[in-house]
Amino acid sequence: MEAAFEWEVIKVTGTPTENFWSANFAEIPVDAEKLSFRGQLFLVIHLNSSQKNLAEVGHKFWVNLVGNFYGNLEGGVLTVLQQVADEALAKLSQEATFEEIGFVAAAFWGKILYLVQAGKAAAGVVRAGKFSIILAESAEIPPNTTSASGFLEDSDLVFLATSDFFQSFSNLEKFFGKESSEIEEELASKIGLSEKAA
């Protein structure tokens, strides 16, 4: 396994509404074998539906993703992440009727970032003061996932977020070189004013 970075996670979520729910999750295994084979897993998800159990459905998606990702120690990290994300997406689509689905799952394994995206969510990075989208949003009701992977650099800022987040924050370069507490404060204050950004 590649030598790992020392890094921090900032988690900010918008306020749920009657038809919209979003959340972010993290799994850092204490089992050394699982950590060495699969790394750390993160998810940003949002669901838009008139059905009332969105939080329950979203949590079930996360539980399926985590269990299947760490339960399968055969195959490469990206292959398994995409496979279990596709399976979780298929189950999610059977749970309820959605107007919109979006998620980005990320596995950090040493210095490598593995990403799987579907629907109205995206992943981006600020590197050397410049922002780039790694995986862009897709259809409102995604039929499948897309994936990407690459090596991280020491000062990278990785963003996993809903599409609404990236519309609300058009100048993410300004966070380059800032302390995590400053970034969190600014993100939280602006997301608090938004109905959907996460």
Side-chain angles (χ1 to χ4, degrees):
M1 178 171 142
E2 287 284 330
F5 289 115
E6 285 189 28
W7 48 281
E8 298 177 73
V9 176
I10 298 170
K11 294 171 53 171
V12 182
T13 305
T15 306
T17 66
E18 187 175 346
N19 297 327
F20 178 84
W21 177 84
S22 65
N24 48 56
F25 300 95
E27 179 70 22
I28 303 168
V30 292
D31 181 313
E33 182 182 29
K34 288 181 180 177
L35 186 61
S36 69
F37 277 110
R38 293 286 175 246
Q40 302 173 44
L41 184 64
F42 298 88
L43 174 73
V44 169
I45 183 170
H46 85 269
L47 305 172
N48 189 339
S49 173
S50 58
Q51 299 194 4
K52 304 298 181 204
N53 60 345
L54 292 180
E56 180 182 325
V57 171
H59 282 94
K60 190 182 287 187
F61 178 91
W62 170 245
V63 169
N64 284 336
L65 189 72
V66 169
N68 292 330
F69 182 67
Y70 288 108
N72 179 356
L73 298 181
E74 301 292 324
V77 175
L78 185 59
T79 301
V80 172
L81 182 60
Q82 186 156 22
Q83 177 187 345
V84 301
D86 282 332
E87 291 168 2
L89 177 60
K91 286 181 183 177
L92 179 67
S93 299
Q94 296 169 359
E95 292 282 331
T97 302
F98 297 97
E99 284 78 48
E100 192 174 280
I101 295 171
F103 72 84
V104 181
F108 288 90
W109 186 75
K111 293 187 175 187
I112 306 173
L113 171 64
Y114 298 94
L115 294 166
V116 174
Q117 175 276 343
K120 294 296 186 178
V125 64
V126 176
R127 175 174 287 171
K130 297 189 180 201
F131 175 72
S132 300
I133 290 286
I134 302 170
L135 286 176
E137 68 177 83
S138 59
E140 290 178 354
I141 308 296
N144 51 31
T145 61
T146 58
S147 63
S149 64
F151 283 91
L152 294 170
E153 295 182 1
D154 287 332
S155 58
D156 285 349
L157 296 175
V158 177
F159 291 88
L160 312 175
T162 65
S163 301
D164 293 314
F165 173 89
F166 289 111
Q167 291 169 7
S168 299
F169 291 94
S170 57
N171 183 20
L172 292 168
E173 294 90 347
K174 69 182 176 181
F175 294 124
F176 187 73
K178 286 192 174 183
E179 295 292 322
S180 59
S181 58
E182 293 177 82
I183 297 170
E184 184 173 22
E185 185 177 333
E186 185 167 342
L187 291 177
S189 65
K190 191 159 185 181
I191 287 173
L193 300 174
S194 169
E195 289 187 1
K196 290 188 175 181

